[in-house]
Amino acid sequence: MEAAGPVTRAAARKRAPTIPEEQRERRPGRRRPRRRIEEEQEVTVFREVVSFTADPLPARYYDKDTTKPISFYFSSLEELLAWTPDVEDSFNVALEPSECRQPPLSSQRPRTLLCHDMMGGYLDDKFIQGSTARSPYCFYHWQSIDVFVYFSHHTVTIPPVGWTNAAHRHGVCVLGTFITEWKEGGRLCEAFLAGDESSYRAVADQLVLIAQFFRFDGWLINIENSLSLAAVGNMPHFLRYLTTQLHQRVPGGLVLWYDSVVSSGQLKWQDELNQHNWVFFDSCDGFFTNYNWREEHLQRMLGQAGERRADVYVGVDVFARGNVVGGQFHTHKSLELIRKHGFSAALFAPGWVYECLEKKDFFQNQDKFWALLERYLPTHSICSLPFVTSFCLGMGTRRVCYGQEEAVGPWYHPSAQEIQPLFAEHRREGDGRGWVKTHCCLADAWNGGSSLLIRGEIPPEVGHVAVRLFSLQVPVPPKVFLSLVYKLEGPSDVEVALELTTGDVGSCHVGGIWTLNAETSSRHSPRPLRVPPTKLARWVGHCGQQLRGGWVQRCYEVSLRGCVLRDLLVSFARPPGGREEASFVCRLGEIQVVDAKSLLAPLPRVQAVTVSRVRWQRAVPEEEGPPARLLLGCTLHWSYLLSPVRCFRVHCRTGTGGGSPGGGPPGPEKPALLGLAFVNQYRIAELPVAAAGPSGDGRVEFLVEPVPKEGFLVPQAEWGRAALLYSMPHT
């Protein structure tokens, strides 16, 4: 790196990446970026002399083969106690806390916990910025669960951030796991529990700090080894201190105890809450029973649990190992008994449908598994706007952006999963004629990698059928805009429309729903916008028109007063005068419900893009490819308030700068998408670039595009930009 003189500590601090106010206290390990040499048309420019020697990246944070950032765990008490937040940790921080939901987790309604245990954990989901996995495990029945536990047999299991982002988007609480096992686990427990309170408080403080920093919600405590009398005597104090501290620092935090050790210190699974383990239940937020219970266990627990019945999570091993009531495709038998007695349920390893059955039938088997449980799984409602989803599963066989194909090939990025609907099949009562069924589908997409496929049949005696997709409980502002993007497969005269239901009927006034159309909006809307917001231009310009790939967009303006939005439905109606049975196949690409006021807010600009941790490699020459290629790795940081953003799309332009001193402005080529970021930083790994010539610099420009929660495209003028000029060393 060229330098114009000595860099003082103050100057280094001045050039450090700008950190949003909300994150500054969480990122003490800031590193000095590459030197900025000039400002060029609002592009921050950095200069680098290519060197093939670089400091190794920290093994904990980066995959050794790809150098991409990864999620991690701690294998020992020493690692846990030694950890302090560093800038590298920020890759693994969730975008935001859990979305508002109803009923809240604190209600006494029985809950559903999913404990994800799959092949040791940290598989393709460990890659924070996504991977090219072809057939990854994907969970999408989020509206049916309340708590998600990421489980592994490492001492401290920190949930990979992709799971936390996906769960929080659906209002689901996320827990990591603190586990001790075997003789080594016994020694670990003695080290922090058998002494004075300072030892167990130090461990609890670290667990709280980790949950707070990475923005997940708490811990499952799983002690699967015997304890000395001193250690087991301190365990309730440890649990109570951990729970109290977590509640103070993590809103909605949760600490659960697994049914293993009893109050004598013996490792003795009880399969129920009883007098031998009640002291641990009394010291935290909930109790997760072992799996070999019978109905008599549930009956006995009624007295032990008292008013805290919903805090007892009755374990169900979906693999059906041991003497269980029901697992696999008979898991509903266990759920039926659990709900009969009013307890919460803990489904352990429902990834059985992925691990043990044919991968090619995964989606079909997963839908079958959850459909069998549907009647025992109360759903929860999302209660905030904007509400926007493209139904993307966070995976696909190609990437699409608003109907435009951007890349072909498999990809998997759990953080990119958007809000998923209720998956179900609905049939009319009586003869069952007239039905609607929803599926996720990777074959086509409007935005992301998948869409929602809806199949159905309208019988001759009815005019339409409808399917409820989302349960909401949103106090609606005076005016909202709604949009539906869809595509009918094959010849069909079926009419598709978005419907909604409202609560508080006594005081709720619906002013009307009017179709917004670019040509006829003045006739259909008695209150058209005098000055349409900039963000609304895309809607008004395309509403009612055919879009790329055969998609159609319908837009609505809704005026409400004193209402609560309860449900979003899509209806399918036969054409007027039609009397024959009508079948249809429809893909939904996007639904948006947006507060009109939010559309008027100005768009902030991505600022202070910096380039750091630059690494170079020589590319393996291809027989017919361009000569003298390099592979570039670097980290981008930028400044942007995270609360209004869905994600960031990171692009690049590559080329050479010719002979001009500053490398020259970028050419008109279209930026290439590198990937998605859900924090204010992104690691670029092995990006092919041309080698710089002897008479000029090489150049690569990076562009950071914010994607607002409302789901609108942001003009390039508001993107953040930085350029890296590089030259070969003089020989």
Side-chain angles (χ1 to χ4, degrees):
M1 182 69 66
E2 289 188 359
V7 179
T8 65
R9 295 176 70 89
R13 285 195 299 272
K14 184 177 180 181
R15 294 174 182 135
T18 302
I19 298 174
E21 204 67 43
E22 62 185 278
Q23 296 187 30
R24 285 185 181 173
E25 293 185 6
R26 300 191 289 102
R27 295 176 59 181
R30 286 176 275 171
R31 299 178 184 275
R32 181 165 58 92
R34 299 287 159 173
R35 177 178 298 280
R36 184 174 68 193
I37 61 169
E38 61 183 279
E39 295 287 340
E40 174 199 282
Q41 297 178 347
E42 298 185 351
V43 181
T44 308
V45 182
F46 300 83
R47 181 176 293 278
E48 174 83 8
V49 176
V50 174
S51 171
F52 299 106
T53 60
D55 295 334
L57 295 170
R60 172 183 290 170
Y61 301 108
Y62 297 94
D63 180 62
K64 62 182 178 62
D65 296 321
T66 65
T67 73
K68 293 181 179 179
I70 55 175
S71 297
F72 62 92
Y73 51 83
F74 297 128
S75 299
S76 69
L77 198 62
E78 291 75 20
E79 287 183 353
L80 169 65
L81 294 173
W83 177 80
T84 56
D86 186 83
V87 68
E88 313 289 356
D89 289 296
S90 297
F91 282 111
N92 210 37
V93 174
L95 178 62
E96 59 190 337
S98 183
E99 283 287 347
C100 167
R101 53 162 285 167
Q102 288 293 339
L105 201 62
S106 57
S107 75
Q108 289 305 301
R109 188 184 76 169
R111 308 170 198 121
T112 305
L113 179 151
L114 186 157
C115 191
H116 176 67
D117 174 35
M118 182 169 288
M119 297 180 281
Y122 299 96
L123 304 174
D124 295 311
D125 54 3
K126 74 179 179 181
F127 290 99
I128 295 170
Q129 296 176 177
S131 73
T132 56
R134 289 189 174 274
S135 299
Y137 174 69
C138 175
F139 176 74
Y140 46 87
H141 290 83
W142 291 105
Q143 291 195 54
S144 298
I145 72 168
D146 304 288
V147 181
F148 177 89
V149 179
Y150 194 84
F151 183 89
S152 82
H153 290 275
H154 302 291
T155 303
V156 179
T157 297
I158 300 170
V161 67
W163 285 107
T164 306
N165 279 332
H168 281 181
R169 202 165 286 132
H170 293 84
V172 172
C173 172
V174 178
L175 307 185
T177 306
F178 179 75
I179 186 171
T180 63
E181 302 175 280
W182 314 108
K183 290 184 178 179
E184 179 57 35
R187 287 192 288 269
L188 187 152
C189 288
E190 290 299 306
F192 83 95
L193 284 171
D196 59 24
E197 68 175 19
S198 63
S199 296
Y200 68 71
R201 286 192 170 197
V203 171
D205 287 340
Q206 283 293 90
L207 293 176
V208 171
L209 177 61
I210 288 169
Q212 180 187 28
F213 181 86
F214 292 113
R215 288 185 175 171
F216 61 95
D217 305 293
W219 296 96
L220 170 66
I221 307 299
N222 187 4
I223 308 298
E224 300 219 39
N225 48 259
S226 59
L227 298 174
S228 68
L229 289 177
V232 77
N234 272 332
M235 181 59 80
H237 302 300
F238 165 70
L239 287 174
R240 193 167 286 112
Y241 179 77
L242 171 63
T243 304
T244 300
Q245 293 300 308
L246 186 76
H247 289 178
Q248 290 178 1
R249 297 169 65 179
V250 178
L254 199 63
V255 176
L256 304 182
W257 172 264
Y258 177 66
D259 168 19
S260 51
V261 171
V262 294
S263 56
S264 67
Q266 290 178 283
L267 177 60
K268 196 172 183 180
W269 297 273
Q270 300 294 291
D271 302 303
E272 65 177 329
L273 174 67
N274 58 29
Q275 70 273 20
H276 302 298
N277 50 36
W278 190 87
V279 65
F280 307 120
F281 173 60
D282 188 49
S283 303
C284 65
D285 295 308
F287 184 86
F288 183 149
T289 78
N290 195 46
Y291 311 105
N292 298 309
W293 49 268
R294 285 290 182 267
E295 187 169 10
E296 53 264 32
H297 292 86
L298 305 183
Q299 292 168 340
R300 287 197 297 265
M301 284 198 296
L302 293 174
Q304 291 285 342
E307 295 181 355
R308 293 185 62 194
R309 202 181 305 182
D311 295 334
V312 177
Y313 298 80
V314 181
V316 180
D317 183 1
V318 176
F319 275 74
R321 293 163 289 204
N323 186 21
V324 302
V325 172
Q328 301 181 6
F329 284 128
H330 299 286
T331 298
H332 60 282
K333 296 179 180 179
S334 296
L335 265 290
E336 182 180 9
L337 289 179
I338 292 168
R339 298 309 194 206
K340 173 183 173 182
H341 294 281
F343 292 110
S344 293
L347 300 175
F348 184 78
W352 166 80
V353 296
Y354 177 85
E355 290 192 56
C356 297
L357 304 179
E358 289 286 343
K359 299 290 190 295
K360 65 181 177 62
D361 300 324
F362 165 64
F363 290 104
Q364 177 183 338
N365 287 327
Q366 173 142 284
D367 289 345
K368 175 183 176 181
F369 175 84
W370 289 94
L372 288 168
L373 305 183
E374 181 183 359
R375 62 183 296 190
Y376 307 111
L377 301 178
T379 60
H380 62 268
S381 303
I382 296 171
C383 56
S384 60
L385 293 182
F387 177 89
V388 178
T389 181
S390 67
F391 305 97
C392 179
L393 292 171
M395 61 179 292
T397 57
R398 60 188 186 129
R399 287 184 185 269
V400 180
C401 181
Y402 298 113
Q404 181 72 47
E405 185 173 86
E406 290 187 309
V408 177
W411 63 277
Y412 174 58
H413 197 330
S415 285
Q417 186 181 95
E418 302 215 344
I419 299 174
Q420 296 299 305
L422 295 165
F423 290 91
E425 180 174 357
H426 304 274
R427 289 187 175 272
R428 291 182 69 222
E429 294 182 3
D431 59 8
R433 297 177 65 189
W435 56 272
V436 184
K437 188 172 183 178
T438 54
H439 315 260
C440 51
C441 183
L442 301 176
D444 202 355
W446 165 249
N447 191 27
S450 57
S451 56
L452 183 68
L453 185 66
I454 305 180
R455 301 177 184 272
E457 187 176 276
I458 308 172
E461 63 271 19
V462 300
H464 78 284
V465 294
V467 57
R468 175 173 168 257
L469 296 180
F470 297 101
S471 172
L472 306 175
Q473 192 161 334
V474 180
V476 183
K479 183 182 292 184
V480 295
F481 294 111
L482 300 93
S483 168
L484 171 68
V485 176
Y486 70 93
K487 177 198 295 189
L488 285 167
E489 299 289 315
S492 177
D493 294 328
V494 169
E495 293 288 332
V496 184
L498 192 63
E499 294 185 358
L500 55 86
T501 65
T502 58
D504 299 335
V505 178
S507 60
C508 175
H509 174 72
V510 181
I513 302 179
W514 303 283
T515 301
L516 281 178
N517 185 283
E519 298 178 358
T520 60
S521 59
S522 61
R523 287 187 301 207
H524 286 280
S525 174
R527 290 189 294 273
L529 293 172
R530 295 180 180 178
V531 181
T534 302
K535 294 186 194 176
L536 193 60
R538 182 173 66 85
W539 284 23
V540 175
H542 296 107
C543 289
Q545 297 182 10
Q546 197 88 355
L547 307 177
R548 294 189 189 106
W551 297 94
V552 174
Q553 186 173 21
R554 296 273 183 259
C555 307
Y556 308 88
E557 177 186 334
V558 185
S559 295
L560 302 160
R561 187 170 68 247
C563 301
V564 173
L565 181 60
R566 285 288 168 83
D567 297 295
L568 283 178
L569 308 92
V570 175
S571 69
F572 302 89
R574 65 171 65 257
R579 290 290 182 267
E580 297 179 357
E581 189 171 78
S583 299
F584 61 88
V585 178
C586 180
R587 297 185 191 278
L588 297 190
E590 186 177 64
I591 289 179
Q592 296 171 289
V593 184
V594 181
D595 178 0
K597 188 176 180 180
S598 73
L599 301 177
L600 299 172
L603 290 170
R605 179 175 180 173
V606 176
Q607 297 180 333
V609 182
T610 63
V611 183
S612 62
R613 280 200 175 277
V614 176
R615 296 169 62 87
W616 298 96
Q617 295 174 258
R618 294 183 177 89
V620 177
E622 300 177 7
E623 292 184 7
E624 299 180 0
R629 301 279 282 178
L630 301 173
L631 298 178
L632 168 64
C634 62
T635 299
L636 305 180
H637 293 87
W638 57 87
S639 174
Y640 198 90
L641 186 65
L642 292 178
S643 57
V645 79
R646 259 166 119 183
C647 67
F648 300 93
R649 289 161 46 87
V650 181
H651 311 260
C652 76
R653 289 191 185 103
T654 59
T656 56
S660 62
E669 68 172 287
K670 182 180 178 181
L673 178 69
L674 296 177
L676 306 180
F678 293 82
V679 289
N680 286 345
Q681 61 187 44
Y682 185 83
R683 179 69 191 174
I684 294 162
E686 299 184 349
L687 175 67
V689 298
S695 60
D697 294 327
R699 177 188 178 108
V700 57
E701 183 178 3
F702 301 108
L703 303 95
V704 180
E705 173 192 2
V707 180
K709 285 184 177 178
E710 293 89 350
F712 293 95
L713 290 171
V714 173
Q716 277 200 36
E718 307 300 331
W719 299 9
R721 297 167 63 188
L724 178 67
L725 304 184
Y726 55 93
S727 59
M728 303 305 292
H730 298 292
T731 56

